[in-house]
Amino acid sequence: MDTIRLAIVGYGKIARDQHHPAIAGHTGYRLDAVASRNAEVAGVANFESLEALLEEGPEIDAVSLCTPATVRTAQARLAMAHGKHVMLEKPPGATLAEIEILREDAQRCGVTLFASWHSRHAPYVAQARRWLTTRKIQRVDIEWKEDVRVWHPGQAWIWQPGGMGVFDPGINALSIATAILPRPFYLVDAQLQVPGNCQTPIAASLDFIDGVNVPIHAEFDFRQADTPPIWDIHVETDDGRLTLTRGGCEMLIDGQSQGMQEDAEYAGLYERFANLIHQGQSDLDVSPLRHVADALTLGYRHTVDDFVE
Ligand code: NAP
């Protein structure tokens, strides 16, 4: 296969802002179709559903699923049953169990399944992981705060079961932490603030420890109004303090910037997806989602003011 003929399913904010430009900028892909109930894209075949696309559409090799997690597993299973490679936006599912079914489906259908974690492709994530390998970690502090009205405008699904609330961005921090820290860690306490009219938290305070009792603290908040977002991870070690800031676009050691680069996360994701397809492999890491599921299991819920869009 030379050029990968691709379709986007669910043409919402992330498809528009990131997937479409990243696909257009990658010579290994051609966007041939879009399946979305309320959106149309010029220059490609448009369908109201994945079912219609698979039945009536042009021949494609792969789909990129940009719908909310609660509907994505059924779409992924359908696409794989039709022999299509699948890229899943994060999180890879609404439950952990369904992802094991997807794993089996991908094997049985002989297709690539890629559970994407876009934040892991931020410019300094790989460098941070290398820097930490030779140091003794003493504590980790994660701060992930943004304005839900700016970053998730009108997304009612985020407040419904499976929508994850503040864990929708918070899982990005966990995807970086699980990539750069050398040991697995687990949750020991979670305090969740849930608006009275919502099913999912607007803020979360989490405490983890790893296997040698290194503390990892995380603060997630969706109420960062009128101030820039904070997407920072600080790691204290026996040999200096590493900070990944701007979601991994800048790295500092003891407060000194090691450089700053433009975000090219989705270019990295599509490069990885193409490589997996060409190598006949899948990549399905659930570790960030496992921490969120644990927080929703172990978390103490505090009811806070109703959320008004
Ligand atoms: P969004 O703006 O709501 O877009 C999702 C699209 O999926 C909608 O526009 C809708 O398109 C379709 N959709 C929604 N509910 C559906 C349903 N029940 N059945 C079928 N299609 C449905 O959301 P988004 O921000 O793009 O997020 C989508 C996924 O990307 C989420 O998993 C999110 O975590 C992830 N993500 C988001 C961001 C971000 O900054 N927003 C960043 C990275 C990753 P139609 O109505 O046209 O069908």
Side-chain angles (χ1 to χ4, degrees):
M1 186 197 314
D2 295 325
T3 302
I4 298 167
R5 298 164 299 177
L6 189 71
I8 291 178
V9 181
Y11 201 83
K13 185 172 189 325
I14 202 63
R16 202 172 46 244
D17 293 357
Q18 298 288 350
H19 287 259
H20 197 167
I23 295 162
H26 195 299
T27 53
Y29 294 94
R30 195 179 67 220
L31 183 67
D32 280 352
V34 164
S36 209
R37 301 162 309 174
N38 298 295
E40 285 205 359
V41 175
V44 305
N46 288 276
F47 301 88
E48 283 189 6
S49 68
L50 174 62
E51 287 81 350
L53 161 64
L54 292 170
E55 278 168 28
E56 307 153 23
E59 187 59 35
I60 52 163
D61 304 302
V63 295
S64 194
L65 301 184
C66 302
T67 42
T70 43
V71 295
R72 232 187 283 124
T73 289
Q75 294 174 331
R77 299 198 72 195
L78 182 66
M80 288 193 287
H82 281 75
K84 311 304 176 197
H85 307 294
V86 171
M87 184 200 278
L88 301 168
E89 246 303 348
K90 47 91 338 197
T95 68
L96 287 162
E98 70 199 57
I99 298 164
E100 297 315 311
I101 307 287
L102 294 182
R103 199 189 298 280
E104 284 179 8
D105 279 7
Q107 268 192 340
R108 193 180 57 252
C109 300
V111 297
T112 290
L113 178 61
F114 177 34
S116 69
W117 295 107
H118 63 89
S119 292
R120 286 184 176 171
H121 293 264
Y124 286 94
V125 169
Q127 201 170 317
R129 177 173 51 233
R130 284 195 297 277
W131 193 87
L132 290 170
T133 355
T134 54
R135 281 146 178 113
K136 192 162 180 274
I137 295 171
Q138 293 164 337
R139 70 166 288 123
V140 181
D141 286 285
I142 301 172
E143 208 179 353
W144 221 258
K145 299 178 177 175
E146 65 186 43
D147 184 351
V148 65
R149 293 178 181 84
V150 170
W151 296 94
H152 306 272
Q155 293 176 356
W157 57 264
I158 221 161
W159 301 113
Q160 287 158 11
M164 293 194 179
V166 77
F167 288 110
D168 182 79
I171 203 168
N172 299 333
L174 294 170
S175 76
I176 296 179
T178 47
I180 65 172
L181 298 177
R183 283 177 297 275
F185 51 90
Y186 69 96
L187 190 72
V188 290
D189 184 73
Q191 303 292 322
L192 311 177
Q193 301 194 33
V194 184
N197 59 345
C198 298
Q199 294 291 322
T200 57
I202 197 164
S205 180
L206 311 174
D207 284 295
F208 304 88
I209 52 169
D210 73 4
V212 294
N213 292 330
V214 169
I216 298 159
H217 181 74
E219 287 290 333
F220 299 157
D221 208 321
F222 250 162
R223 299 165 300 188
Q224 183 80 352
D226 306 322
T227 41
I230 301 173
W231 296 314
D232 291 355
I233 298 180
H234 307 279
V235 187
E236 299 285 353
T237 78
D238 60 341
D239 182 31
R241 180 180 214 241
L242 177 142
T243 297
L244 269 181
T245 186
R246 303 169 195 268
C249 288
E250 185 177 10
M251 180 168 127
L252 299 93
I253 303 296
D254 292 328
Q256 297 291 314
S257 180
Q258 308 297 299
M260 191 166 74
Q261 288 180 31
E262 286 298 306
D263 156 26
E265 295 174 7
Y266 280 77
L269 278 191
Y270 276 95
E271 181 62 18
R272 172 92 177 123
F273 188 38
N275 288 337
L276 288 169
I277 291 173
H278 293 308
Q279 291 159 8
Q281 293 174 353
S282 288
D283 178 354
L284 207 55
D285 175 21
V286 299
S287 54
L289 179 59
R290 195 185 293 132
H291 290 306
V292 172
D294 285 353
L296 296 173
T297 303
L298 195 64
Y300 188 95
R301 282 161 175 76
H302 306 266
T303 302
V304 297
D305 290 349
D306 284 3
F307 175 75
V308 181
E309 178 75 42

